[in-house]
């Protein structure tokens, strides 16, 4: 009928309820038994709908509900008697239909039970029920009679909308025992109601009002025994996770603190130079932050030059029109190259004798990824980690993201259909913490922590400044050249390049290094700036991805 055609709407407009009489009996269990006699004027319709208000707002977190059950229909004069019940959210709709079009006045008798209409209020019980209403046609006369086994303390009634405070036409106690109340109302408009209110002594029934939690953000995230227990469990898991992290990272810290003094002074003997435990710059970079960064690869390129595997030639900007460097392969055995160094060396030259830095831009990203993979594998081979740091981080991060995603889906579903959304929120928090904490999960072995301690001491030694004042400038240049790749990793390149520059200025005729050559009119006084620019350009060139491909 809500989707009525124009013809059926015209029929509905000409129909009405001549009389609606409801007899209510309140049982000791609080169930209200109703017998409703409806006198209906039909004009070609097949039946009618009677709408009951079965859910009303009680407060911000719950609704009061009423349940309609055991519905039957009959008619003594050929009216419709087929009945069906539909739950329509806040209303329960009883549809009464016949076998064909019906005209004239017919009487239909409905019988049904109402649960949840009686509630305890202070020292009394109250029955409140929209006994008549919910019609889509006018009601000319409405009457309600209520019988119970106990005396009625008070009566009241309201007519009009659901929120109306307007009293009905008439209400009174109709017997001397004061157990029967009657109510009446004339001319109810469509969608208006006659609401009756009856007060009884406390204990007349064993009834309890029925409530349903409201599905709002406030109720969805209610703290109860289940959600509170889940949050407590999450707290335990988080504390346990932090405890595990403390054990893993704390072990590293304890070992570092114990061994740091041993590596505080780097061994330097004349022209000889030995980094802590023979660790290469790329290895140091990976060990310190557990990341094989681009700068670690750049430092390895500088280290290969310092060790004589390649020559770095700075081109004349005035001639070429741009700042660029040429990497020239040197003829030297590769027996002492580590696997990742060999992989980097082969990728740089790729059967070439020289390569310009600008030519690596956009072409080296794939090789860079392989070199970084080899650097992660190297720290495991060295026995510094039991598992690759990147793999450990990825595993924990993926687990955290999966848990966060499940938590998001679960939170939405639980918020829509229950008051347990805090469980989903707990999963989101736990997943986020797992993903974040996973970045700190790679743990060094005792050997790795010891090497790290020596490395930290070595870094402190470098940052303290020049420690070999007795060396000649030539020896100092060679020594500081060997320091330089490590300074790249430690982000101290400016200081150490300046040391080489100062030594070169003092040494008469020093205009180049054995591993770095500048253009004409270039000397070591410009080395610091050249080195800073070279490391930045190298890091950018080897990490740059190709953005466009030729369409030819």
């Amino acid at each position: 009928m809500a989707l009525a055609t124009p013809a059926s709407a015209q029929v509905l407009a000409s129909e009405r309820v001549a009389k609606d009489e409801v007899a209510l009996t309140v049982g000791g269990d609080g169930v209200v038994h109703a017998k409703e006699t409806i006198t209906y004027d039909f004009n070609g319709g097949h039946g009618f709908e009677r709408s009951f208000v079965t859910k009303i707002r009680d407060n911000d977190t719950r609704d009061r509900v009423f349940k309609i059950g055991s519905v039957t229909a009959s008619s003594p004069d050929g009216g419709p008697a087929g009945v069906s019940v539909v739950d329509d959210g806040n209303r329960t709709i009883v549809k009464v239909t016949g076998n064909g079009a019906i005209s004239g006045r017919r009487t239909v008798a409905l019988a049904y039970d109402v649960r949840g209409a009686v509630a305890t209020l202070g020292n009394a019980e109250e029955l409140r029920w929209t006994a008549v209403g919910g019609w889509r046609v006018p009601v000319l006369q409405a009457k309600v009679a209520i019988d119970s086994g106990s005396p009625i303390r008070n009566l009241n009634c309201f007519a009009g909308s659901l929120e109306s405070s307007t009293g009905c036409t008439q209400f009174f106690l109709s017997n001397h025992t004061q157990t029967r109340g009657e109510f009446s109302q004339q001319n109810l408009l469509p969608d208006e109601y006659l609401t009756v209110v009856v007060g009884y002594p406390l204990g007349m029934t064993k009834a309890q009002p029925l409530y349903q939690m409201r599905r709002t953000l406030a109720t969805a995230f209610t703290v109860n025994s289940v959600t509170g227990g889940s949050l407590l469990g999450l707290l335990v898991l988080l504390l346990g996770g932090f405890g595990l992290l403390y054990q893993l990272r704390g072990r590293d810290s304890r070992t570092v603190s114990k061994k740091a003094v041993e590596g505080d002074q780097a061994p330097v003997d004349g022209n000889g130079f030995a980094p802590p435990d023979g660790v290469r710059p790329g290895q140091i970079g990976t060990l310190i932050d557990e990341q094989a960064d681009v700068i670690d690869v750049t430092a390895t390129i500088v280290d290969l030059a310092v060790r004589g595997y390649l020559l770095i030639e700075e081109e004349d900007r005035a001639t070429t029109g741009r700042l660029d460097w040429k990497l020239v392969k040197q003829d030297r055995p590769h027996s002492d190259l580590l696997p990742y160094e060999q992989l980097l060396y082969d990728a740089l030259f790729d059967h070439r004798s020289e390569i310009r830095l600008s030519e690596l831009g956009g072409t080296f990203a794939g090789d860079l990824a392989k070199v970084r993979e080899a650097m992660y594998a190297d720290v495991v081979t060295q026995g510094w980690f039991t598992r690759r740091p990147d793999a450990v981080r990825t595993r924990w991060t993926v687990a955290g993201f999966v848990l966060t995603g499940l938590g998001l889906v679960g939170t939405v579903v639980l918020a829509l259909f229950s008051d347990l959304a805090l469980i989903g929120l707990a999963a989101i928090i736990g997943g986020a913490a797992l993903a974040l904490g996973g970045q700190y999960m790679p743990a060094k072995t005792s050997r790795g922590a010891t090497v790290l301690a020596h490395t930290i001491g070595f870094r402190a030694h470098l940052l303290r400044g020049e420690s070999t004042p007795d060396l000649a400038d030539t020896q100092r240049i060679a020594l500081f050249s060997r320091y330089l790749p490590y300074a790249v990793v430690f982000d101290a390149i400016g200081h150490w390049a300046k040391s080489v520059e100062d030594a070169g200025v003092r040494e008469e005729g020093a205009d180049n290094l054995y591993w770095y050559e500048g253009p004409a009119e270039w000397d070591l006084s410009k080395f610091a700036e050249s080195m800073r620019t070279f490391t930045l350009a190298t890091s950018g060139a080897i990490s740059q991805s190709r953005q466009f491909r030729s369409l030819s």
Side-chain angles (χ1 to χ4, degrees), residues 25-330:
T25 303
V26 183
D29 57 358
V31 178
V32 179
H33 306 281
K35 292 183 179 180
E36 184 172 356
T37 302
I38 302 164
T39 303
Y40 196 95
D41 290 335
F42 290 93
N43 187 24
H46 293 76
F48 58 74
E49 290 183 358
R50 168 81 160 89
S51 177
F52 296 87
V53 178
T54 50
K55 183 186 294 185
I56 60 175
R57 179 187 177 91
D58 184 66
N59 56 40
D60 290 340
T61 61
R62 68 181 185 181
D63 294 321
R64 184 174 176 183
V65 296
F66 309 87
K67 293 186 177 180
I68 303 294
S70 304
V71 182
T72 61
S74 61
S75 177
D77 55 10
V83 65
S84 62
V85 181
V86 178
D87 185 1
D88 188 28
N90 295 337
R91 300 172 184 269
T92 297
I93 299 175
V94 175
K95 296 182 179 181
V96 180
T97 56
N99 294 325
I102 306 171
S103 297
R105 180 167 291 185
R106 297 288 190 272
T107 300
V108 177
L110 286 178
Y112 50 88
D113 295 335
V114 182
R115 287 178 169 79
V118 180
T120 300
L121 293 178
N123 60 352
E125 291 185 6
E126 180 185 86
L127 165 67
R128 178 181 289 266
W129 177 238
T130 50
V132 178
W135 292 99
R136 300 189 65 199
V137 297
V139 178
L140 301 185
Q141 184 178 9
K143 290 186 177 182
V144 179
I146 297 180
D147 285 294
S148 60
S150 296
I152 295 174
R153 286 187 170 183
N154 54 72
L155 295 175
N156 206 345
C157 63
F158 306 97
S161 65
L162 285 175
E163 299 81 13
S164 174
S165 59
T166 302
C168 62
T169 303
Q170 187 180 30
F171 64 93
F172 55 91
L173 292 172
S174 60
N175 62 359
H176 69 281
T177 61
Q178 297 185 341
T179 59
R180 179 182 176 88
E182 295 189 16
F183 310 82
S184 64
Q185 175 65 35
Q186 307 295 321
N187 300 320
L188 287 174
L189 297 176
D191 292 322
E192 289 189 337
Y193 297 86
L194 171 59
T195 301
V196 299
V197 182
V198 183
Y200 295 104
L202 184 66
M204 186 197 80
T205 71
K206 298 179 181 179
Q208 294 292 334
L210 304 177
Y211 296 103
Q212 185 180 83
M213 297 296 294
R214 294 177 62 83
R215 294 291 173 254
T216 64
L217 285 179
T219 60
F221 293 91
T222 300
V223 178
N224 51 42
S225 58
V226 177
T227 57
S230 299
L231 290 176
L232 180 61
L234 171 65
L235 180 62
V236 172
L237 287 176
L238 288 178
L239 290 176
F242 288 136
L244 177 60
L245 282 174
Y246 174 78
Q247 287 299 319
L248 293 175
R249 308 305 298 188
R251 181 189 65 192
D252 291 352
S253 299
R254 289 190 294 273
T255 305
V256 167
S257 298
K258 181 179 179 181
K259 300 291 185 179
V261 176
E262 300 177 17
D264 192 48
Q265 295 295 331
V268 179
D269 182 15
N271 291 332
F273 171 80
D277 296 329
V279 182
R280 307 278 171 82
Q283 293 175 314
I284 280 183
T286 308
L287 179 65
I288 285 180
D289 60 4
E290 299 161 356
Q291 300 266 7
D293 299 317
V294 175
I295 193 63
D296 301 334
V297 180
T298 299
T300 301
I301 293 175
V302 176
D303 186 52
L304 291 175
V306 172
R307 289 157 56 196
Y309 289 96
L310 60 90
L311 175 65
I312 302 174
E313 293 183 359
E314 181 179 338
E315 296 190 338
D316 191 347
R317 187 171 186 175
T319 304
T320 62
R322 62 178 180 180
L323 188 61
D324 203 351
W325 289 263
K326 185 188 298 182
L327 306 181
V328 183
K329 181 191 296 186
Q330 301 296 292

